[in-house]
């Protein structure tokens, strides 16, 4: 027992790194996201997640937005018609190429894309301060405090972060089916406490979606589930296919709906910067 220890003695950076080291899944790199860009954009284009997030972000036609870890424009594209301008930064060339293609298709000319990472010097990338910074599902980084400080510094009005609530976005039942332990890694509670340790007291809104998830085909479902794992063997593939079959229903159209143990839940964490 250490009764003298208080909250102020906790090192949330070390706790974050320890939890990341123990997680069951492997963080993906730019090349992985390059390959997934088109399919990821299609899956998110009509997701209820997008509207649920956007209804919390107050914007006007004069608002400028920095979308950090923008992906294929999941939030940037629907925001484009509502704001003055958007800077979308991502470390995946494939994601940005998809974003640019989709922006042209919808006639949006106010999105600037920048190839860069959290670790890069954003000033050297000619990124200026914006009214609002958003980082949606993009904070799987080695140094969380540094990333949050960067968002805070580059927002003149407010920051909106979307972070996962364990076990989202993973299906822990699939890990059990493969006989593998499921360790979530750090989720939103680390983000909130890191902000608190930085002297930032954020607001938190929970976005809860359905327990079911629908894919266009069995193959698409399998591809998505493979994304959760590393080093799948042939036997693992068989078990994974059986798990999906046993926990889903197949429509005449070929769409497959999988029932998960827990609903998909995300934390929308936001604060005013006062910059």
């Amino acid at each position: 027992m250490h009764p003298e220890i208080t909250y102020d003695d906790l090192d949330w950076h070390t706790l974050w790194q320890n939890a990341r080291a123990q997680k069951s899944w492997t963080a993906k790199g730019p090349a992985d996201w390059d390959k997934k860009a088109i399919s990821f954009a299609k899956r998110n284009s009509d997701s209820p997640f997008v509207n649920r997030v956007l209804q919390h972000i107050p914007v006007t036609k004069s608002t400028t937005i920095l979308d950090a870890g923008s992906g294929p424009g999941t939030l940037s594209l629907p925001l484009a018609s509502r704001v003055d301008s958007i800077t979308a930064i991502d470390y995946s060339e494939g994601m940005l190429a998809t974003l640019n293609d989709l922006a042209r298709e919808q006639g949006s000319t106010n999105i600037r894309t920048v190839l860069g990472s959290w670790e890069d010097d954003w000033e050297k990338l000619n990124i200026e301060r914006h009214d609002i910074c958003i980082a949606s599902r993009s904070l799987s980084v080695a140094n969380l405090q540094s990333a949050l400080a960067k968002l805070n510094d580059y927002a003149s009005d407010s920051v909106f972060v979307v972070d996962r609530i364990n076990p989202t976005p993973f299906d822990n039942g699939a890990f059990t089916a493969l006989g593998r332990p499921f360790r979530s890694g750090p989720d939103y509670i680390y983000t909130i406490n890191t902000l608190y340790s930085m002297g930032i007291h954020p607001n938190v809104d929970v976005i809860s979606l359905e327990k079911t998830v629908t894919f266009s085909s069995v193959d698409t479902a399998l591809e998505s589930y493979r994304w959760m794992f590393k080093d799948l063997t042939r036997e693992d593939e068989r078990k994974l296919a059986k798990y999906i079959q046993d926990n889903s229903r197949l429509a005449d159209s070929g769409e497959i709906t999988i029932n998960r143990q827990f609903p998909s839940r995300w934390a929308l964490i936001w604060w005013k910067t006062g910059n």
Side-chain angles (χ1 to χ4, degrees), residues 168-223:
T168 302
F170 305 100
D171 184 346
N172 55 324
F175 284 80
T176 301
L178 268 62
R180 297 190 180 192
F182 175 70
R183 298 186 182 91
S184 167
D187 70 349
Y188 81 108
I189 203 65
Y190 287 79
T191 305
I192 293 171
N193 281 286
T194 299
L195 287 167
Y196 185 89
S197 71
M198 296 166 61
I200 297 173
H201 304 273
N203 305 278
V204 183
D205 294 293
V206 174
I207 297 173
S208 187
L209 305 177
E210 300 296 324
K211 291 175 66 174
T212 58
V213 58
T214 300
F215 297 91
S216 59
S217 67
V218 173
D219 287 343
T220 303
L222 277 167
E223 178 187 354

Side-chain angles (χ1 to χ4, degrees), residues 100-174:
N100 286 325
D101 288 343
L102 294 173
R104 280 192 292 270
E105 288 179 14
Q106 74 176 29
S108 296
T109 59
N110 60 341
I111 302 176
R112 172 193 171 216
T113 56
V114 178
L115 183 65
S117 71
W118 288 103
E119 294 76 24
D120 289 334
D121 184 336
W122 287 3
E123 189 173 341
K124 290 182 178 179
L125 296 176
N126 296 318
I127 295 177
E128 300 177 346
R129 182 175 290 173
H130 292 60
D131 296 324
I132 296 174
C133 284
I134 59 178
S136 178
R137 305 185 293 190
S138 62
L139 280 173
S140 178
V141 293
N143 193 325
L144 177 64
Q145 181 171 323
S146 175
L148 293 172
K150 186 170 282 189
L151 290 172
N152 193 67
D153 289 343
Y154 275 83
S156 61
D157 181 79
S158 52
V159 177
F160 290 82
V161 168
V162 181
D163 211 351
R164 59 193 198 82
I165 299 176
N166 178 33
T168 302
F170 305 100
D171 184 346
N172 55 324

Side-chain angles (χ1 to χ4, degrees), residues 217-236:
S217 67
V218 173
D219 287 343
T220 303
L222 277 167
E223 178 187 354
S224 179
Y225 268 69
R226 289 189 191 104
W227 186 260
M228 300 181 192
F229 297 94
K230 50 188 176 184
D231 303 324
L232 285 174
T233 65
R234 184 171 298 179
E235 178 63 13
D236 289 333

Side-chain angles (χ1 to χ4, degrees), residues 223-262:
E223 178 187 354
S224 179
Y225 268 69
R226 289 189 191 104
W227 186 260
M228 300 181 192
F229 297 94
K230 50 188 176 184
D231 303 324
L232 285 174
T233 65
R234 184 171 298 179
E235 178 63 13
D236 289 333
E237 292 269 3
R238 185 193 67 78
K239 290 179 180 178
L240 191 59
K242 185 176 187 306
Y243 173 79
I244 292 174
Q245 180 182 9
D246 291 345
N247 292 276
S248 65
R249 61 180 184 274
L250 188 64
D252 292 338
S253 63
E255 285 189 340
I256 183 172
T257 300
I258 301 174
N259 300 302
R260 296 188 174 188
Q261 183 178 358
F262 297 101

Side-chain angles (χ1 to χ4, degrees), residues 2 13 17-18 61 71 94 138 170 173 213 216:
H2 299 280
H13 175 66
Q17 290 184 320
N18 290 344
K61 292 297 286 186
S138 62
F170 305 100
V213 58
S216 59

